[in-house]
Amino acid sequence: MMTFSLPVVAAAAATTTPAAATATDFVARRQFAPCYIWLDIAFLALYAGLLLWRRRRMTVLVGIAAGLLYFAVDFGVFHLALHTRSISPNASLFWVLLWMSMSYGFTNFTWIWLYLRHDERLVEWSTLIFGWWFCAPLIAQTLTSRFLPGQAAHPIVIQRTTGAYHGWMAIILFVGYAAVIVHNLAFAARPALRVDIRWLLVCGIGIQFAWELALLLGGIRSAGLSPLQSLKPLVIDSLLETNLGMPYIYLIFLAVSARRHEDLAARTPGLSLAQSLERSNCSPRRPFTVAAIRGAQATTD
Protein backbone atom coordinates (compact mmCIF):
# COMPACT_ATOMS: atom_id res chain seq x y z
CA MET A 1 0.00 0.00 0.00
CA MET A 2 1.34 3.42 -0.92
CA THR A 3 2.33 5.61 2.01
CA PHE A 4 2.92 9.33 2.28
CA SER A 5 5.87 9.24 4.65
CA LEU A 6 8.80 11.33 3.46
CA PRO A 7 11.14 9.52 1.05
CA VAL A 8 14.70 10.74 0.70
CA VAL A 9 14.00 12.31 -2.68
CA ALA A 10 11.29 14.58 -1.23
CA ALA A 11 12.54 15.19 2.30
CA ALA A 12 13.74 18.67 1.48
CA ALA A 13 10.58 19.38 -0.51
CA ALA A 14 8.33 18.68 2.45
CA THR A 15 9.98 21.29 4.62
CA THR A 16 10.45 24.03 2.05
CA THR A 17 9.16 27.43 3.07
CA PRO A 18 7.34 29.38 0.34
CA ALA A 19 8.95 32.48 -0.97
CA ALA A 20 8.19 35.67 0.89
CA ALA A 21 4.78 37.02 -0.03
CA THR A 22 4.50 40.32 -1.85
CA ALA A 23 1.74 42.88 -1.70
CA THR A 24 -0.03 41.22 -4.64
CA ASP A 25 0.71 37.66 -3.52
CA PHE A 26 -1.77 35.25 -2.00
CA VAL A 27 -1.68 31.74 -0.58
CA ALA A 28 -3.48 28.85 -2.29
CA ARG A 29 -3.84 26.13 0.36
CA ARG A 30 -5.46 22.70 0.47
CA GLN A 31 -6.18 20.55 3.50
CA PHE A 32 -7.40 16.96 3.35
CA ALA A 33 -7.02 13.54 4.96
CA PRO A 34 -5.03 10.76 3.21
CA CYS A 35 -8.38 8.99 2.82
CA TYR A 36 -9.35 11.66 0.29
CA ILE A 37 -6.41 10.70 -1.92
CA TRP A 38 -7.40 7.03 -2.09
CA LEU A 39 -11.04 7.87 -2.81
CA ASP A 40 -9.94 10.15 -5.64
CA ILE A 41 -7.63 7.51 -7.14
CA ALA A 42 -10.58 5.10 -7.20
CA PHE A 43 -12.70 7.71 -8.97
CA LEU A 44 -9.98 8.37 -11.55
CA ALA A 45 -9.84 4.67 -12.37
CA LEU A 46 -13.65 4.61 -12.76
CA TYR A 47 -13.71 7.76 -14.90
CA ALA A 48 -10.88 6.58 -17.17
CA GLY A 49 -12.61 3.22 -17.52
CA LEU A 50 -15.86 4.89 -18.57
CA LEU A 51 -14.04 7.02 -21.15
CA LEU A 52 -12.34 3.98 -22.63
CA TRP A 53 -15.61 2.05 -22.61
CA ARG A 54 -17.21 4.83 -24.63
CA ARG A 55 -14.19 4.89 -27.00
CA ARG A 56 -12.91 8.32 -25.89
CA ARG A 57 -9.35 7.10 -26.39
CA MET A 58 -7.84 10.38 -27.57
CA THR A 59 -9.43 12.10 -24.58
CA VAL A 60 -7.74 9.64 -22.21
CA LEU A 61 -4.34 10.15 -23.83
CA VAL A 62 -4.73 13.92 -23.61
CA GLY A 63 -5.65 13.63 -19.91
CA ILE A 64 -2.59 11.51 -19.11
CA ALA A 65 -0.28 13.89 -20.99
CA ALA A 66 -1.83 16.86 -19.17
CA GLY A 67 -1.33 15.21 -15.77
CA LEU A 68 2.36 14.69 -16.52
CA LEU A 69 2.64 18.30 -17.71
CA TYR A 70 0.94 19.55 -14.51
CA PHE A 71 3.44 17.58 -12.44
CA ALA A 72 6.43 18.90 -14.40
CA VAL A 73 5.24 22.47 -13.83
CA ASP A 74 4.10 22.05 -10.22
CA PHE A 75 7.06 20.08 -8.90
CA GLY A 76 9.76 21.15 -11.34
CA VAL A 77 8.92 24.85 -11.66
CA PHE A 78 6.75 25.91 -8.72
CA HIS A 79 8.72 23.87 -6.18
CA LEU A 80 12.27 23.18 -7.36
CA ALA A 81 12.81 26.39 -9.34
CA LEU A 82 10.65 28.96 -7.54
CA HIS A 83 10.36 27.40 -4.03
CA THR A 84 6.69 28.37 -3.69
CA ARG A 85 5.45 24.98 -2.46
CA SER A 86 5.35 23.63 1.10
CA ILE A 87 3.62 20.72 2.82
CA SER A 88 2.98 19.52 6.37
CA PRO A 89 5.60 17.14 7.85
CA ASN A 90 3.22 14.14 7.76
CA ALA A 91 3.30 13.84 3.95
CA SER A 92 5.61 13.73 0.95
CA LEU A 93 5.50 16.70 -1.36
CA PHE A 94 6.66 14.56 -4.29
CA TRP A 95 3.92 11.93 -4.01
CA VAL A 96 1.13 14.32 -3.09
CA LEU A 97 1.98 16.61 -6.00
CA LEU A 98 2.15 13.62 -8.34
CA TRP A 99 -1.36 12.59 -7.29
CA MET A 100 -2.73 16.15 -7.42
CA SER A 101 -1.22 16.76 -10.85
CA MET A 102 -2.52 13.53 -12.36
CA SER A 103 -5.92 13.97 -10.72
CA TYR A 104 -6.67 17.55 -11.72
CA GLY A 105 -4.62 17.46 -14.90
CA PHE A 106 -6.55 14.41 -16.09
CA THR A 107 -10.02 15.64 -15.11
CA ASN A 108 -9.46 19.24 -16.28
CA PHE A 109 -8.05 18.39 -19.68
CA THR A 110 -10.39 15.52 -20.48
CA TRP A 111 -13.26 17.88 -19.68
CA ILE A 112 -11.72 20.56 -21.93
CA TRP A 113 -11.19 18.07 -24.76
CA LEU A 114 -14.76 16.79 -24.53
CA TYR A 115 -15.98 20.38 -24.61
CA LEU A 116 -13.88 21.30 -27.64
CA ARG A 117 -15.09 18.30 -29.63
CA HIS A 118 -18.78 19.06 -28.88
CA ASP A 119 -19.12 15.65 -27.27
CA GLU A 120 -22.72 14.48 -27.44
CA ARG A 121 -22.47 13.26 -23.81
CA LEU A 122 -20.84 16.39 -22.41
CA VAL A 123 -23.62 17.03 -19.91
CA GLU A 124 -23.15 13.54 -18.44
CA TRP A 125 -19.34 13.83 -18.32
CA SER A 126 -19.55 17.32 -16.81
CA THR A 127 -21.97 16.22 -14.11
CA LEU A 128 -19.76 13.27 -13.24
CA ILE A 129 -16.61 15.39 -12.86
CA PHE A 130 -18.11 18.31 -10.95
CA GLY A 131 -20.27 15.97 -8.88
CA TRP A 132 -17.16 14.13 -7.73
CA TRP A 133 -15.21 17.32 -7.02
CA PHE A 134 -18.06 18.47 -4.79
CA CYS A 135 -18.95 15.17 -3.12
CA ALA A 136 -15.47 13.73 -2.54
CA PRO A 137 -14.47 16.10 0.32
CA LEU A 138 -17.79 15.51 2.09
CA ILE A 139 -17.45 11.73 1.78
CA ALA A 140 -13.86 11.84 3.03
CA GLN A 141 -14.80 14.02 6.00
CA THR A 142 -17.55 11.61 7.04
CA LEU A 143 -15.33 8.54 6.70
CA THR A 144 -12.41 10.06 8.59
CA SER A 145 -14.50 11.43 11.45
CA ARG A 146 -16.30 8.10 11.87
CA PHE A 147 -13.61 5.51 11.15
CA LEU A 148 -10.23 7.29 10.88
CA PRO A 149 -9.99 9.86 13.70
CA GLY A 150 -6.21 9.92 13.44
CA GLN A 151 -6.42 11.22 9.89
CA ALA A 152 -9.04 13.76 10.88
CA ALA A 153 -6.77 15.08 13.63
CA HIS A 154 -3.67 15.22 11.42
CA PRO A 155 -4.68 16.21 7.87
CA ILE A 156 -2.26 16.87 5.04
CA VAL A 157 -1.81 20.59 4.43
CA ILE A 158 -0.18 21.73 1.18
CA GLN A 159 0.11 25.30 -0.02
CA ARG A 160 1.78 27.60 -2.52
CA THR A 161 2.31 31.32 -2.93
CA THR A 162 1.65 32.88 -6.32
CA GLY A 163 3.64 36.09 -6.64
CA ALA A 164 6.64 34.37 -8.23
CA TYR A 165 4.78 33.13 -11.31
CA HIS A 166 1.34 34.71 -11.82
CA GLY A 167 2.92 37.50 -13.85
CA TRP A 168 4.42 34.96 -16.25
CA MET A 169 1.06 33.23 -16.47
CA ALA A 170 -0.55 36.58 -17.33
CA ILE A 171 1.92 37.03 -20.20
CA ILE A 172 1.02 33.58 -21.58
CA LEU A 173 -2.69 34.42 -21.24
CA PHE A 174 -2.38 37.78 -23.02
CA VAL A 175 -0.16 36.49 -25.84
CA GLY A 176 -2.48 33.57 -26.56
CA TYR A 177 -5.69 35.57 -26.76
CA ALA A 178 -3.93 38.45 -28.58
CA ALA A 179 -2.86 35.97 -31.27
CA VAL A 180 -6.46 34.76 -31.58
CA ILE A 181 -7.68 38.35 -31.89
CA VAL A 182 -5.11 39.16 -34.58
CA HIS A 183 -6.11 35.99 -36.46
CA ASN A 184 -9.78 36.96 -36.35
CA LEU A 185 -9.14 40.57 -37.39
CA ALA A 186 -6.53 40.02 -40.09
CA PHE A 187 -6.75 36.53 -41.51
CA ALA A 188 -10.30 35.24 -41.07
CA ALA A 189 -12.43 36.91 -43.72
CA ARG A 190 -15.17 34.30 -43.44
CA PRO A 191 -16.98 33.79 -40.09
CA ALA A 192 -16.41 30.03 -40.37
CA LEU A 193 -12.66 30.63 -40.05
CA ARG A 194 -12.85 32.83 -36.95
CA VAL A 195 -12.11 31.46 -33.51
CA ASP A 196 -15.09 31.91 -31.17
CA ILE A 197 -13.37 33.71 -28.29
CA ARG A 198 -16.48 33.62 -26.11
CA TRP A 199 -16.61 29.86 -26.47
CA LEU A 200 -12.99 29.49 -25.33
CA LEU A 201 -13.54 31.82 -22.36
CA VAL A 202 -16.58 29.86 -21.21
CA CYS A 203 -14.47 26.70 -21.14
CA GLY A 204 -11.26 28.17 -19.70
CA ILE A 205 -12.91 30.19 -16.93
CA GLY A 206 -15.83 27.87 -16.26
CA ILE A 207 -13.89 24.65 -15.69
CA GLN A 208 -11.35 26.27 -13.35
CA PHE A 209 -14.17 28.05 -11.49
CA ALA A 210 -16.01 24.76 -11.03
CA TRP A 211 -12.82 23.20 -9.65
CA GLU A 212 -12.07 26.10 -7.27
CA LEU A 213 -15.69 26.37 -6.10
CA ALA A 214 -15.97 22.66 -5.35
CA LEU A 215 -12.72 22.71 -3.36
CA LEU A 216 -13.81 25.81 -1.46
CA LEU A 217 -17.27 24.45 -0.59
CA GLY A 218 -15.77 21.10 0.40
CA GLY A 219 -13.43 22.72 2.91
CA ILE A 220 -10.26 21.72 1.05
CA ARG A 221 -9.24 24.95 -0.65
CA SER A 222 -7.89 27.78 1.55
CA ALA A 223 -8.55 25.99 4.86
CA GLY A 224 -7.57 28.20 7.78
CA LEU A 225 -7.48 31.40 5.71
CA SER A 226 -9.71 34.45 6.02
CA PRO A 227 -12.75 34.87 3.71
CA LEU A 228 -10.86 37.44 1.60
CA GLN A 229 -7.84 35.16 1.33
CA SER A 230 -10.16 32.32 0.29
CA LEU A 231 -11.88 34.47 -2.33
CA LYS A 232 -8.71 35.44 -4.19
CA PRO A 233 -7.86 31.92 -5.47
CA LEU A 234 -11.49 31.44 -6.54
CA VAL A 235 -11.50 34.61 -8.67
CA ILE A 236 -7.91 34.99 -9.85
CA ASP A 237 -7.22 31.29 -10.52
CA SER A 238 -10.52 30.98 -12.40
CA LEU A 239 -9.64 33.87 -14.72
CA LEU A 240 -6.01 32.87 -15.18
CA GLU A 241 -4.77 29.37 -14.54
CA THR A 242 -6.73 27.14 -16.95
CA ASN A 243 -7.86 29.96 -19.18
CA LEU A 244 -4.29 30.91 -20.10
CA GLY A 245 -3.89 27.67 -22.03
CA MET A 246 -7.14 27.71 -24.01
CA PRO A 247 -5.86 29.30 -27.27
CA TYR A 248 -2.92 26.88 -27.33
CA ILE A 249 -5.03 23.85 -26.38
CA TYR A 250 -7.52 24.73 -29.11
CA LEU A 251 -4.73 24.89 -31.68
CA ILE A 252 -3.49 21.47 -30.55
CA PHE A 253 -7.06 20.15 -30.71
CA LEU A 254 -7.49 21.41 -34.28
CA ALA A 255 -4.16 19.89 -35.36
CA VAL A 256 -4.85 16.51 -33.75
CA SER A 257 -8.46 16.38 -34.99
CA ALA A 258 -7.25 17.10 -38.51
CA ARG A 259 -5.31 13.82 -38.49
CA ARG A 260 -7.04 11.50 -36.00
CA HIS A 261 -10.54 10.51 -34.93
CA GLU A 262 -11.43 10.22 -31.26
CA ASP A 263 -10.91 6.44 -31.33
CA LEU A 264 -7.33 7.11 -32.63
CA ALA A 265 -8.11 5.89 -36.16
CA ALA A 266 -6.43 7.95 -38.89
CA ARG A 267 -8.65 10.52 -40.58
CA THR A 268 -8.75 9.83 -44.31
CA PRO A 269 -8.27 12.17 -46.00
CA GLY A 270 -6.58 14.45 -43.49
CA LEU A 271 -7.69 18.05 -43.02
CA SER A 272 -5.80 21.32 -43.06
CA LEU A 273 -5.91 23.53 -39.96
CA ALA A 274 -8.37 25.83 -41.72
CA GLN A 275 -10.65 22.91 -42.58
CA SER A 276 -10.38 21.60 -39.02
CA LEU A 277 -11.36 25.02 -37.66
CA GLU A 278 -14.26 25.28 -40.06
CA ARG A 279 -15.43 21.82 -39.04
CA SER A 280 -15.18 22.80 -35.36
CA ASN A 281 -17.28 25.89 -36.06
CA CYS A 282 -20.03 23.95 -37.82
CA SER A 283 -22.29 23.84 -34.74
CA PRO A 284 -23.98 27.08 -33.61
CA ARG A 285 -23.00 27.95 -30.04
CA ARG A 286 -24.41 30.34 -27.46
CA PRO A 287 -22.20 30.61 -24.36
CA PHE A 288 -23.71 29.74 -20.99
CA THR A 289 -26.54 27.63 -22.43
CA VAL A 290 -27.03 23.86 -22.42
CA ALA A 291 -27.60 23.99 -26.17
CA ALA A 292 -24.21 25.66 -26.59
CA ILE A 293 -22.42 23.05 -24.53
CA ARG A 294 -24.07 20.06 -26.20
CA GLY A 295 -23.89 21.53 -29.71
CA ALA A 296 -26.69 21.35 -32.22
CA GLN A 297 -24.62 19.01 -34.39
CA ALA A 298 -22.49 17.17 -31.85
CA THR A 299 -19.69 15.07 -33.28
CA THR A 300 -19.64 11.36 -32.60
CA ASP A 301 -16.32 10.19 -34.07
Side-chain angles (χ1 to χ4, degrees), residues 54-118:
R54 301 304 301 175
R55 299 173 64 85
R56 271 54 170 189
R57 296 168 185 165
M58 182 65 72
T59 299
V60 171
L61 290 181
V62 167
I64 293 172
L68 295 174
L69 176 62
Y70 267 40
F71 180 69
V73 172
D74 215 346
F75 190 79
V77 178
F78 293 168
H79 169 58
L80 294 180
L82 300 177
H83 309 293
T84 62
R85 276 287 188 189
S86 64
I87 197 169
S88 53
N90 63 334
S92 160
L93 186 61
F94 178 87
W95 288 113
V96 171
L97 280 183
L98 180 60
W99 156 72
M100 282 174 49
S101 299
M102 293 306 300
S103 174
Y104 290 102
F106 187 84
T107 49
N108 266 16
F109 274 77
T110 54
W111 196 355
I112 289 170
W113 200 262
L114 292 166
Y115 177 94
L116 292 180
R117 66 180 300 271
H118 311 289

Side-chain angles (χ1 to χ4, degrees), residues 177-211:
Y177 276 101
V180 171
I181 291 168
V182 170
H183 165 80
N184 284 359
L185 292 176
F187 303 108
R190 293 191 293 119
L193 294 179
R194 295 172 195 163
V195 176
D196 190 338
I197 297 175
R198 299 169 303 166
W199 186 61
L200 295 186
L201 289 171
V202 169
C203 183
I205 297 173
I207 288 179
Q208 183 75 30
F209 180 80
W211 173 8

